[in-house]
Amino acid sequence: MSLLAQKNTTDGPVLVGAHTDSAEAFVPDQSRAERTTSYAVADFPVPSGREEDWRFTPVDRLRALFAEADGTPLRRDESLPDGVTVSSISREEWQGSGAPKPADRAAVIAAARAASISVLDIPAETELTEPVRLVLTGDGVLSHGHTVIRVGNFAKATIVLRHEGDAQYSELLSVVVGDGADVTVVTVQEWADTALHLGQHDVVVGRDATVRHIAVTLGGGIVRLNTNASYAGPGGSFEALGVYFADAGQHQEHRLFVDHEAPHCRSNVEYKGALQGDSAHTVWVGDVLIRASAEGTDTYELNRNLILTDGARADSVPNLEIETGEIAGAGHASATGRFDDQQLFYLQARGIDEDTARRLVVRGFFAAIVGRIGVPEIEEHLMEAIDRELEATA
Amino acid sequence: MSTANHTLVIKDLHVTVDTDQGTKEILRGVTLTINSGETHAIMGPNGSGKSTLAYSIAGHPKYTVTGGTVTLDGEDVLAMSVDERARAGLFLAMQYPVEVPGVTVSNFLRTAKTAIDGEAPKLRMWVKELKQSMSDLKMDPAVSERGVNEGFSGGEKKRHEILQMELLKPKMAILDETDSGLDVDALRIVSEGVNRAKETTGAGVLLITHYTRILRYIQPDFVHVFVDGRIAEQGGSELADRLEAEGYDRFQTAAPASVTSA
């Protein structure tokens, strides 16, 4: 489905009580550009929950990840196509790699306490036909991860990161993409229900490069993923797609920040989530900053939430800051609605039983995004996982 | 199939709906029998309860049946869930078909056909039949890969409803203002689709309409005038001609007058 068609369907959003939009939320007293980023742990006090960037997060349950303590790395199984290497670099090399600095307490701790900094290198002009697959498994203990993915100029690659098991995990992941490269990074969170995961994913889009970051969050007790994109030169294109499904007791938070500084770059953010069960909570915050120098920017962000049962809460906050009028386009849409009984009636009136009808509607809700992931193994797995989530409560 | 005889019997049906102003009785004793192969037109002014009759038979949860019975070949329809009614052979072409984004028409139709028949259709036959029916209804083949009713024009939605009637082959089809919002060409195409489906399946048809226009294309065997939640008058197709000439004024002015002038 085209982006345009998708935009049209967001007209007339259904707002329910659990929805927050930017108009009724408080307006930040500073530009998004002024948030602290630093290599020093001391620059980030332990969050109280009153801070703008932590106000939705149950910080009390995350003490372990804010503490200056060493952990045990997650187990890592990797499948590397020819030409792709994994090595490690020093802190000095990392700081000179073009990877952005940590932007919150959890990320700076991850960077400071990770046993090593892993680097995944995809050399220039390499065109991978198979995805790079990394499976990270937790054993129920504190873990810190620090990874840099370097993609050379004009390389083409898909990288799939899967998170499983139980962990208290904080990570800093940087994806630094060379000029003209075409990269898809898929991060799948299928943790056990007790897992905690705080992640900062930075994407640096090279000149004329195309980068897609796809987040799939199904498991975990608390998952909070901050995805930040910036552009190293003009002509870059960034797309962030997300799918999440929160059950009773789960907190899933996705924060996106697209920082347009280079001119003539594009960004498109689309996240869709379903919620079911008591106290299921999802948070989506989409910040886009178009700086004065970013002429010709074209950006759009969309978040839709489908609330399947009472007692679930979806917060959705799009923020758009524009410092130049010379842009190609900028827009956002956010809608949170309940499951539409009219759709159910329509399908049932055609003989389709209620469970099947419900599954069709929810699959349909996600289809526009899932169909664009472009990694068949992930698309199929995801649809099956969504079916299982629905069956769990049927 | 056209030889099978089925009967839908509606007896003294009373239906209420909950509104902000409290519970309101919409159907106040409707009695009607429809046999296979018959076409019954239900005509009436806005607000007379025509659509309520259609949705009550289909089982929409908004409506509460407070009295009376509906049976299909003796089976108690009111005891069935919405999907059971459809599988029993009832079909409702809706006035305002619902959008189901992301569910493709082809997936939806195959799922519905499988549910109604109790087994998946043979793929080659099915594809052929779908193609033929869409072509008969002058539908763009690309529609089958679009989301159900998603971004459809009014005419496309109605054709899609009749496409389903042709493919699902119900015993009884209720068409709720299928003619509304259609231009003459679309009306003719949709009407031909109904006639075709009727001919091949021998279905009984309950045609709900505000206007007589569609009756030039679909010949009714019986015409029932619906006023204030019940059938006020019935006859053959000549009754439709009279309504065309006189409108509903005769029925509408009669009801309040009986209260005030008594």
Side-chain angles (χ1 to χ4, degrees), chain B residues 142-156:
Chain B
V143 165
S144 63
E145 289 315 309
R146 284 164 64 187
V148 170
N149 295 319
E150 201 177 357
F152 284 22
S153 68
E156 282 175 324

Side-chain angles (χ1 to χ4, degrees), chain B residues 28 43-45 48-49 225-232 248 251-252 255:
Chain B
R28 309 192 307 156
M43 307 194 58
S48 59
V225 182
F226 216 70
V227 179
D228 207 15
R230 53 165 74 98
I231 291 167
Y248 296 112
F251 301 100
Q252 279 171 307

Side-chain angles (χ1 to χ4, degrees), chain A residues 5-277:
Chain A
Q6 184 59 34
K7 282 181 195 175
N8 289 339
T9 64
T10 64
D11 289 348
V14 185
L15 297 180
V16 296
H19 176 84
T20 312
D21 69 28
S22 51
E24 67 186 63
F26 63 82
V27 177
D29 56 5
Q30 60 174 26
S31 165
R32 186 63 174 79
E34 291 164 30
R35 293 254 181 98
T36 305
T37 62
S38 171
Y39 295 120
V41 173
D43 287 341
F44 298 98
V46 172
S48 66
R50 286 186 297 275
E51 302 80 1
E52 166 60 24
D53 60 330
W54 289 101
R55 65 191 174 108
F56 294 112
T57 321
V59 291
D60 292 345
R61 288 157 61 193
L62 296 165
R63 294 290 163 216
L65 293 171
F66 300 140
E68 294 199 63
D70 288 330
T72 309
L74 298 176
R75 277 185 286 129
R76 189 170 77 197
D77 297 308
E78 53 197 33
S79 146
L80 305 178
D82 286 348
V84 179
T85 56
V86 173
S87 56
S88 60
I89 52 171
S90 67
R91 278 184 71 84
E92 290 67 36
E93 284 174 282
W94 161 54
Q95 293 180 7
S97 71
K101 296 173 186 174
D104 71 13
R105 175 83 184 182
V108 78
I109 297 265
R113 295 287 168 166
S116 66
I117 305 170
S118 300
V119 180
L120 181 81
D121 268 302
I122 295 157
E125 300 188 28
T126 307
E127 293 207 5
L128 300 181
T129 50
E130 273 289 295
V132 177
R133 299 185 183 87
L134 298 176
V135 181
L136 300 162
T137 310
D139 293 314
V141 295
L142 182 66
S143 299
H144 303 104
H146 187 181
T147 308
V148 179
I149 298 175
R150 288 193 294 218
V151 182
N153 293 350
F154 305 107
K156 190 166 191 244
T158 296
I159 298 122
V160 178
L161 299 165
R162 287 177 67 157
H163 300 92
E164 298 174 355
D166 184 18
Q168 294 100 50
Y169 180 53
S170 65
E171 63 158 341
L172 178 62
L173 171 74
S174 311
V175 184
V176 182
V177 177
D179 295 349
D182 183 350
V183 182
T184 298
V185 176
V186 185
T187 175
V188 181
Q189 289 65 245
E190 275 185 294
W191 299 105
D193 285 346
T194 45
L196 309 175
H197 178 185
L198 299 180
Q200 175 177 331
H201 289 190
D202 291 300
V203 175
V204 181
V205 182
R207 183 184 180 116
D208 297 325
T210 300
V211 185
R212 306 197 313 144
H213 180 278
I214 298 162
V216 175
T217 302
L218 302 170
I222 300 173
V223 173
R224 177 178 132 123
L225 206 53
N226 299 348
T227 302
N228 310 308
S230 57
Y231 299 81
S237 181
F238 173 72
E239 182 165 61
L241 302 179
V243 170
Y244 48 89
F245 201 125
D247 291 322
Q250 286 187 310
H251 176 96
Q252 298 175 346
E253 180 165 346
H254 298 88
R255 290 175 167 263
L256 292 111
F257 173 37
V258 183
D259 187 349
H260 281 282
E261 188 160 18
H264 301 290
C265 290
R266 292 171 299 281
S267 63
N268 181 51
V269 175
E270 285 182 48
Y271 269 63
K272 284 190 170 187
L275 299 85
Q276 65 181 7

Side-chain angles (χ1 to χ4, degrees), chain A residues 343 346 348 350-351 360, chain B residues 83 87 92 99 103 161 164:
Chain A
Q343 295 179 340
Y346 187 76
Q348 283 189 266
R350 300 306 181 242
L360 273 177
Chain B
D83 49 304
R87 291 198 297 273
L92 170 62
E99 291 192 13
V103 178
E161 294 295 287
Q164 294 170 54

